[in-house]
Amino acid sequence: MKKTFVFFAVAAAILFAGNTQAQRLAINLGYAPQTTTTATTILGHTSTNNHDMTGFFAGVDYNIPLTNYFGLAIGAQARYNFKTTTGDLLTTKETQMLIDIPVLLNFGIRLGADARLSVFAGPVAAYALNGNTNVTEKFANTSLDTPWYGKNSNNQQLDLLGAVGVSFDYQVFRLFGGYRMGFLDLDKSDAVKATTSGLFFGLGYIL
C-alpha cells in the first residue's frame, strides 16, 4: 500500500511538472535567407557553387509540454524566396514558395515570472510548391519563364532539414533565431549534389 501511494505521488508530481509549462499557440513572422550549395563532379574533379536567395516566412506553432523544462513544438509555415539580378541586357528574377513542417524539441528555463529562455532542435520537412526563373530582355522586351519542377526537371521538391536555435519569450512576445541545414540531395542527376542551408530570425506572438 505504501509503495502504491509513493508511485501515484511521483506520477502526480511528474504530471504537475509537465503542466507548469502551458500549451501555447504562437504566430510567427521572420527572415530566412537560403543558400543552395551545388557540388558538380566531372572526371573526378568537384567544383562548388553557392547560390543565395532572400527569404521570408510566416506560420504558426503549438508547443506541447513534456516536462517542466522540455516541450515539443509542432508547426507549419509558408516560406518565400526570391532573387533579382539585373545586367546590361537581361533581368533575371527567381522565385520559390515552400511549406515547412518543423517538429522541434525545446528546453527552457524561467527568467522571472514573465520571461523564458529556450534552446530548440529538431527536423523540418520542407516541400517546394513552385519555383521559377524569369529572364527578361530589356531592349527586345521579351520574357522567358523556366519552371524549376516538373517532368523535365532534375530538381527535387521534398527536403529534410535539421534546425537548431534559441528563443526568448517575454509575456506574449517571442524573439528567436537559429540555423537550418538540409540533409537531402535536391538534384536528381548523378554528377550534381545540391543542398540548402541558412540562418533564420523571427518574431512571434503567443496566444
Side-chain angles (χ1 to χ4, degrees):
M1 184 69 179
K2 185 177 180 180
K3 290 182 179 180
T4 303
F5 175 78
V6 172
F7 171 78
F8 280 107
V10 172
I14 293 174
L15 181 62
F16 175 78
N19 287 333
T20 57
Q21 182 187 163
Q23 299 180 6
R24 307 188 80 175
L25 179 71
I27 302 173
N28 305 308
L29 298 171
Y31 172 66
Q34 176 176 284
T35 297
T36 301
T37 302
T38 304
T40 304
T41 302
I42 300 177
L43 299 176
H45 176 72
T46 301
S47 59
T48 302
N49 178 66
N50 290 331
H51 181 70
D52 298 321
M53 298 183 72
T54 301
F56 295 94
F57 66 88
V60 297
D61 69 72
Y62 186 75
N63 192 52
I64 303 170
L66 302 178
T67 72
N68 191 35
Y69 299 102
F70 285 95
L72 185 66
I74 302 173
Q77 65 183 27
R79 183 157 47 97
Y80 180 70
N81 298 325
F82 62 94
K83 181 176 183 178
T84 300
T85 304
T86 302
D88 295 334
L89 299 177
L90 303 176
T91 298
T92 302
K93 296 181 179 180
E94 299 168 281
T95 57
Q96 183 187 35
M97 177 67 76
L98 307 98
I99 295 295
D100 297 332
I101 305 295
V103 181
L104 304 175
L105 181 67
N106 53 84
F107 173 83
I109 57 173
R110 284 283 178 190
L111 302 176
D114 296 327
R116 185 180 183 88
L117 181 65
S118 305
V119 293
F120 58 84
V124 179
Y127 186 80
L129 299 176
N130 58 62
N132 185 72
T133 299
N134 173 269
V135 179
T136 301
E137 187 175 353
K138 295 181 179 180
F139 298 104
N141 197 25
T142 59
S143 180
L144 176 65
D145 287 309
T146 304
W148 292 6
Y149 308 105
K151 295 181 179 180
N152 299 322
S153 172
N154 287 326
N155 295 323
Q156 176 70 258
Q157 290 176 266
L158 180 64
D159 196 8
L160 179 64
L161 305 98
V164 295
V166 62
S167 174
F168 177 73
D169 298 352
Y170 182 75
Q171 295 183 351
V172 296
F173 300 101
R174 170 174 295 162
L175 177 65
F176 62 93
Y179 180 78
R180 69 189 189 280
M181 180 178 65
F183 298 127
L184 300 185
D185 181 4
L186 300 182
D187 195 297
K188 301 175 185 178
S189 59
D190 295 334
V192 180
K193 181 179 180 180
T195 57
T196 63
S197 62
L199 298 170
F200 57 89
F201 307 95
L203 295 173
Y205 181 79
I206 305 170
L207 302 178

